[in-house]
Amino acid sequence: MEMKDFVVRFAGEGGQGVVTSAEGMAQAATQVGYHALTYATFPSQILGGPTWTQARISDSPILSPGDDVDVLVAFNREAYDNHVDEVREKGVIIYNSNDFELEGDPRSFGLPIEELAKSTGNTRAANMVVIGALAHLVNMPQTYLDEFVQKRFSRGRPGDEEIIRSNIQAMGLGRSHTAESGLSVGDLAPPRMPDYKQIMIKGNDALSLGARAAGVEFYVGYPISPATTILLWMEHNLIGEGKFAYQVSSEIESITGILGAGFAGKKAMTATAGPGFSLMSEGLGLAWMAEIPLVVVDVQRGGPATGLPTKTEQSDLLACMYPAHGDVKMPIIAVGTVEEAFYGAIKAFNWAERYQGPVILMTEMSLAERVQNIPKPDLSQIEVEERQVYQGKNGYHRYHGSEVSPMPLPGSPGAYVANGSEHDEMGDTTHLASRHIQMTERRFGKLKLLEEDEFEADNTQESIALMTWGGSKGSALEAYNQLRQRDVPVAWYYTMFLNPLPPRLLEELRKKELVIVPELNYQGQFSGILRSQGVKAESITQYTGLPFKVRDLVQKITEMTKTRRKETVGA
Amino acid sequence: MSKKNPEYDFKWCPGCGDFGVRRSIESAMINRLEETGLPMENNVVVAGIGCSGNLVHLLEGAQPYGFHGIHGRTLPVAMGVKMARPELNVLVVAGDGDFLSIGGEHIAPQAARNLNICAVIMDNGVYGLTKGQSSPTTKLGEITSSTPYGKMEAEADPLELYLTMGVSFIAAGFSGKPRELTQLITQGMNHEGFAMVHVQSPCTTYNDTFEMLKGNPKKGIEPLIWDVPEDHDKSDKMAAYALLQRRGLPLGVIYEDADRPSLDARMEEMRGRARQRTMQETLDSYEL
Ligand SMILES: Cc1ncc(C[n+]2csc(CCOP(=O)(O)OP(=O)(O)O)c2C)c(N)n1
Ligand code: SF4
Ligand SMILES: [Mg+2]
């Protein structure tokens, strides 16, 4: 039977190479022309402890991590016990027979992973043993993988040839061993090498790279899962004249540090997760009040308080939109794919400069750690917006009028006080009602500059629409595609611009009888926001710490469309 | 504000110590302007929230840039400005409550970094703006609006705290001696690293300590303040500790470590060692 894709899950203990296996498999598959997407969870402990990662391999671009596991690679007994239920009926389980023996499961066979690797003379080829085994299970021609190994290890170093030989041998051993088991999961469709250049990148790296493309110059942050990798990326890559990346001592320092840098003329950013975001409340209000451009990334995890540091959730939307006391409403871009993480970061900086204020860039655990092949961005096609800088003489009124006004830079004429108290046009503190009215309207009025025109829309004549947000996009879109195949009458809408929403999109949504919003939180945060804007929205919620399964969405959406149709017929 | 702004209605009480601090800061900035030829706009004053922080609006004459943000966060804002634009002269002005209480967590990290800024603290031993509550430097047992039966915690010793935290330049001043204070602020601004100028700036409304500080021979009150002796070795940390054990309040430079590199100097040095890649090179490194 030909399969378009398959899902392999590696489960074991931290330190057993579980993470690198999934990434290695994804690397190998994309090198030969497949598409790959990984999905990882982390153990809460540093070393040891149960952990697993998953790779989905397909002949076409991938939207979600995949509902069911086709092949489980169990590195130890506990891993087998914990994951066996997620293996689909016709799936296969490879267990590491160097670690444990398994009896009575006809879908399984033992692979002496370390022993086979050792016999090639290269203990580090254990990965390749597994890849060889998987290749056999899905009937992937060996030539593809040999090519990959040749390419990967031809680095012009003296040991290259030996490494290539042992790796190819390891794959061969994995294959032949698997062949003896007589098990198989099907025939994977042959790869179709895309005719465009690609990069293979993790969500948080794509976001960081996007920030860099947008011209980020100043980054400070405080370690917190799952945002830490952005800090590390910046410390490695944001180096040079006029640039600064640094670990500070709290999220209060992060936000106030970038406030100082944004005021001083830099494109500044920090990234954090829920607990750190809460600490930034007051500083975000200040950025709004004093009109200082900056970008804050919230990589959502389960909350509240310390919450679920290693799980995914979309429960920070309200906190991101209204993070501070007083009249504020933050611009929000929520990315839904690895590719959007790159372009969303660029947009966030453009917005910050365009309206001169803080922008919240939302992402989440499941995207942060996802490794995926995406089309390589063409830097010459990227539009980067720069700050309107004041270039006149001293005596300037920085907060003049009701629209964005050029911002003076310290060191040049135009000195003013950036003020977090209500202020007059020169930045001096005031209590006049007329001034508070003017400045409040000025601050809200600027949001108009962020109204974008583009959004995703499909099958728009239907009166029931599906519109998810953020990292649930992949599962929702896959569900939508299946629903369309079954002729379920539903329209698709999507945008990463959650505030302000593209006005044309809002207009269309308001005309719908029902807008179904899958989101990973208890309260249905986004549908609440949509309802407050006159959209008849209802959520499909989930708060398990895990992403949606496509199957669940298909079922729930189908039910909701049926009930709705009955209601309308009855009425 | 260069001229009187009728819309700005905050005023310091008559006799408030902050007037003298403002004069000293103005003079120090003018002197710097004359010495370096850099315009006033090269200075950035990051102000705390309190009566003291209002100084940023009350400066007269040529105007520096100002940042008047939120309570307690002057230091990290100053770090943002300085590390973004090391060529700027960054000055912090804040009260004892702002700097030592709500903002206390920021002092040690900046001391360790040796952030190249000068912080002028206006210590009046009270929360002035919120009308007379106790602050970290309010004396043990003192009755204030928030300590009706006397303050129950020991007063902080800011100078000793700075010394212990590793601040590389520590000076103590008095708002009643603006000429000397100007000198200290100038030295603090010229110091390549984290400079603290801690100023006794009495609150005439809620904690008037002028007489106590200056003394009053008629009433037989011995002055609390005394000048740091000329032979004090300010590079010697133990000597600085010893100085602080004496009764009263020393005025002058207590400690100075002129050799420790500042954070911006270390950043320069790191850049020389680090691998720098262009955006395109960074992007290419992810290619399949
Ligand atoms: C987060 C926060 N908490 C409390 C306040 C209220 N508040 C304003 S100024 C101040 C204390 C000021 O004392 P100090 O820093 O010593 O300045 P002074 O007025 O004495 O110069 C307080 C508690 C505030 N503005 N923000
Ligand atoms: S209350 Fe005290 S500190 Fe505030 S202005 Fe009046 S005298 Fe100065
Ligand atoms: Mg005070």
Side-chain angles (χ1 to χ4, degrees):
Chain A
M1 183 193 71
E2 192 178 83
M3 314 181 290
K4 290 189 66 64
D5 69 318
F6 82 102
V7 173
V8 53
R9 180 176 294 185
F10 303 85
E13 219 167 80
Q16 279 181 319
V18 174
V19 177
T20 48
S21 297
E23 288 184 10
M25 185 65 213
Q27 280 284 352
T30 50
Q31 291 281 350
V32 303
Y34 286 108
H35 296 265
L37 181 151
T38 71
Y39 171 45
T41 62
F42 291 115
S44 329
Q45 49 277 76
I46 303 302
L47 289 174
T51 184
W52 59 273
T53 59
Q54 178 169 310
R56 186 175 185 188
I57 313 291
S58 171
D59 70 336
S60 38
I62 305 171
L63 297 171
S64 80
D67 286 1
D68 301 304
V69 174
D70 294 292
V71 183
L72 170 67
V73 183
F75 285 85
N76 58 29
R77 175 80 210 198
E78 194 189 354
Y80 171 79
D81 292 339
N82 285 341
H83 296 272
V84 64
D85 288 346
E86 294 199 54
V87 180
R88 73 176 171 85
E89 211 184 309
K90 299 230 165 72
V92 170
I93 295 141
I94 302 175
Y95 64 87
N96 183 10
S97 56
N98 284 142
D99 195 279
F100 70 108
E101 274 305 329
L102 194 65
E103 270 161 35
D105 187 338
R107 297 181 299 174
S108 75
F109 72 96
L111 188 67
I113 300 172
E114 287 100 22
E115 194 184 304
L116 292 177
K118 213 168 172 184
S119 73
T120 69
N122 177 4
T123 48
R124 294 173 61 186
N127 248 344
M128 293 296 167
V129 173
V130 178
I131 289 176
L134 290 168
H136 179 83
L137 287 175
V138 299
N139 202 12
M140 193 190 283
Q142 178 68 26
T143 45
Y144 294 148
L145 292 170
D146 289 355
E147 256 171 54
F148 155 67
V149 170
Q150 292 278 3
K151 240 175 43 190
R152 168 90 203 267
F153 295 104
S154 298
R155 298 163 298 185
R157 294 189 203 151
D160 282 0
E161 239 169 76
E162 172 52 23
I163 292 174
I164 291 170
R165 186 205 57 76
S166 57
N167 275 304
I168 291 181
Q169 191 192 350
M171 279 195 297
L173 288 170
R175 257 173 190 283
S176 50
H177 220 88
T178 307
E180 282 167 30
S181 75
L183 294 168
S184 153
V185 290
D187 301 333
L188 185 65
R192 292 174 291 163
M193 185 58 98
D195 58 1
Y196 46 84
K197 276 193 178 168
Q198 299 186 88
I199 58 172
M200 183 83 174
I201 195 164
K202 184 182 286 196
N204 269 358
D205 287 4
L207 187 149
S208 306
L209 198 62
R212 178 89 207 272
V216 65
E217 295 164 290
F218 191 100
Y219 183 98
V220 289
Y222 188 77
I224 184 168
S225 296
T228 306
T229 46
I230 299 176
L231 169 66
L232 304 189
W233 195 96
M234 291 294 168
E235 286 182 316
H236 280 94
N237 293 292
L238 193 63
I239 302 172
E241 191 63 36
K243 300 191 179 78
F244 185 63
Y246 193 62
Q247 175 181 332
V248 291
S249 51
S250 72
E251 287 85 354
I252 293 181
E253 283 206 345
S254 303
I255 184 67
T256 45
I258 63 171
L259 273 159
F263 163 76
K266 295 289 178 180
K267 290 189 174 181
M269 173 170 127
T270 187
T272 187
F277 192 80
S278 292
L279 287 182
M280 294 185 189
S281 282
E282 199 189 8
L284 281 165
L286 172 56
W288 171 268
M289 189 73 167
E291 302 188 34
I292 294 172
L294 50 85
V295 175
V296 173
V297 180
D298 177 24
V299 189
Q300 295 169 96
R301 61 190 215 183
T306 305
L308 294 157
T310 58
K311 298 286 177 185
T312 208
E313 203 164 89
Q314 301 178 290
S315 50
D316 290 354
L317 182 57
L318 290 171
C320 285
M321 201 172 281
Y322 305 106
H325 61 277
D327 261 333
V328 300
K329 190 172 182 185
M330 296 287 156
I332 292 182
I333 296 177
V335 300
T337 64
V338 170
E339 201 173 355
E340 282 180 12
F342 178 83
Y343 292 102
I346 296 171
K347 198 58 136 180
F349 276 96
N350 286 350
W351 275 19
E353 296 301 337
R354 198 189 300 165
Y355 101 113
Q356 292 178 7
V359 174
I360 314 295
L361 179 60
M362 298 183 75
T363 175
E364 55 209 67
M365 165 71 196
S366 64
L367 277 178
E369 291 301 322
R370 174 182 300 176
V371 179
Q372 196 176 0
N373 59 311
I374 61 170
K376 184 179 180 184
D378 178 353
L379 295 181
S380 69
Q381 295 302 307
I382 286 168
E383 273 178 52
V384 172
E385 296 177 33
E386 302 298 344
R387 186 168 308 183
Q388 272 190 62
V389 174
Y390 175 71
Q391 280 166 338
K393 293 199 280 283
N394 274 324
Y396 175 61
H397 288 187
R398 190 267 178 268
Y399 300 109
H400 175 72
S402 58
E403 278 159 32
V404 145
S405 39
M407 204 172 151
L409 296 189
S412 307
Y416 72 105
V417 180
N419 197 344
S421 299
E422 190 56 287
H423 41 264
D424 60 18
E425 300 194 328
M426 331 162 34
D428 284 327
T429 307
T430 182
H431 303 98
L432 290 184
S434 57
R435 200 57 94 184
H436 187 43
I437 294 169
Q438 176 208 339
M439 289 297 164
T440 302
E441 289 174 359
R442 172 186 162 101
R443 289 186 288 267
F444 276 96
K446 291 190 303 171
L447 289 178
K448 268 222 148 317
L449 297 171
L450 309 182
E451 290 177 347
E452 302 278 339
D453 205 40
E454 280 163 39
F455 55 92
E456 290 180 21
D458 190 48
N459 205 30
T460 56
Q461 79 281 356
E462 297 298 343
S463 60
I464 298 179
L466 177 63
M467 175 152 148
T468 188
W469 67 277
S472 292
K473 181 185 186 184
S475 308
L477 188 53
E478 206 171 317
Y480 172 74
N481 290 338
Q482 291 185 19
L483 291 164
R484 291 297 302 136
Q485 276 168 14
R486 299 182 199 175
D487 283 329
V488 176
V490 64
W492 167 263
Y493 289 97
Y494 175 81
T495 181
M496 55 177 170
F497 310 128
L498 300 192
N499 185 45
L501 283 166
R504 279 198 310 121
L505 169 61
L506 188 56
E507 214 175 286
E508 286 199 35
L509 293 177
R510 281 179 179 146
K511 288 185 207 142
K512 301 294 170 195
E513 264 173 49
L514 173 66
V515 175
I516 301 171
V517 183
E519 52 183 326
L520 298 173
N521 59 63
Y522 175 81
Q523 300 177 83
Q525 299 190 4
F526 188 48
S527 72
I529 289 167
L530 286 174
R531 280 195 299 278
S532 78
Q533 298 184 40
V535 177
K536 294 183 210 79
E538 252 176 65
S539 294
I540 296 173
T541 61
Q542 177 178 302
Y543 31 96
T544 52
L546 302 169
F548 281 113
K549 289 205 172 196
V550 175
R551 181 193 312 121
D552 296 343
L553 287 180
V554 167
Q555 188 212 330
K556 286 195 178 131
I557 295 164
T558 310
E559 277 167 23
M560 283 169 92
T561 53
K562 275 187 193 149
T563 354
R564 181 55 56 135
R565 259 178 301 160
K566 258 188 226 141
E567 276 168 15
T568 22
V569 172
Chain B
M1 245 159 356
S2 49
K3 293 187 247 40
K4 183 109 194 70
N5 176 357
E7 201 171 326
Y8 177 76
D9 56 10
F10 180 85
K11 282 194 192 78
W12 281 322
C13 309
C16 173
D18 297 350
F19 283 105
V21 181
R22 183 190 71 191
R23 278 281 164 259
S24 303
I25 288 178
E26 281 167 2
S27 307
M29 287 197 300
I30 295 279
N31 292 347
R32 183 173 183 276
L33 189 148
E34 282 164 3
E35 272 164 35
T36 62
L38 292 167
M40 187 54 90
E41 303 93 73
N42 196 252
N43 298 305
V44 177
V45 178
V46 181
I49 302 295
C51 296
S52 40
N54 273 284
L55 183 146
V56 70
H57 300 285
L58 291 165
L59 290 167
E60 293 177 352
Q63 295 292 295
Y65 275 79
F67 191 108
H68 198 186
I70 46 178
H71 194 35
R73 313 303 167 197
T74 52
L75 281 180
V77 169
M79 177 184 70
V81 176
K82 185 68 188 180
M83 298 316 291
R85 304 272 309 280
E87 74 277 16
L88 298 173
N89 178 46
V90 182
L91 208 64
V92 158
V93 296
D96 46 324
D98 185 284
F99 199 76
L100 295 167
S101 184
I102 189 169
E105 72 197 56
H106 303 298
I107 308 171
Q110 302 305 357
R113 293 166 192 151
N114 206 18
L115 180 71
N116 194 358
I117 60 145
C118 175
V120 180
I121 303 313
M122 286 163 258
D123 185 354
N124 52 12
V126 75
Y127 285 9
L129 192 69
T130 47
K131 302 190 190 300
Q133 297 81 18
S134 80
S135 92
T137 51
T138 304
K139 300 271 175 291
L140 176 70
E142 195 111 332
I143 289 172
T144 71
S145 66
S146 64
T147 53
Y149 299 102
K151 192 190 180 201
M152 290 194 279
E153 75 217 45
E155 64 268 20
D157 183 335
L159 297 172
E160 206 172 303
L161 212 65
Y162 302 150
L163 206 50
T164 305
M165 284 176 172
V167 175
S168 60
F169 177 97
I170 303 165
F174 174 40
S175 64
K177 294 193 165 194
R179 207 168 315 129
E180 289 83 347
L181 182 54
T182 303
Q183 278 309 311
L184 296 176
I185 295 171
T186 299
Q187 286 181 60
M189 292 193 314
N190 290 339
H191 173 72
E192 293 284 332
F194 191 26
M196 291 292 325
V197 181
H198 194 90
V199 186
Q200 293 302 316
S201 179
C203 168
T204 40
T205 301
Y206 296 111
N207 188 27
D208 194 346
T209 51
F210 266 117
E211 193 173 63
M212 206 175 80
L213 289 162
K214 285 197 293 196
N216 187 340
K218 277 191 222 141
K219 294 190 194 164
I221 300 172
E222 287 280 310
L224 263 187
I225 49 173
W226 44 269
D227 291 332
V228 170
E230 291 212 342
D231 62 354
H232 168 60
D233 180 1
K234 56 188 189 218
S235 69
D236 180 348
K237 205 166 199 172
M238 292 323 287
Y241 273 116
L243 204 66
L244 297 180
Q245 306 315 309
R246 288 170 50 183
R247 199 201 147 267
L249 287 163
L251 295 184
V253 178
I254 313 288
Y255 180 68
E256 180 175 11
D257 177 355
D259 299 328
R260 193 142 65 91
S262 63
L263 183 60
D264 48 315
R266 284 197 205 275
M267 180 175 70
E268 257 329 296
E269 186 273 334
M270 177 275 285
R271 253 182 221 148
R273 285 182 289 121
R275 188 159 69 115
Q276 297 183 25
R277 288 192 300 192
T278 62
M279 175 61 207
Q280 189 65 52
E281 287 165 345
T282 313
L283 173 62
D284 292 346
S285 70
Y286 288 95
E287 209 171 291
L288 265 185

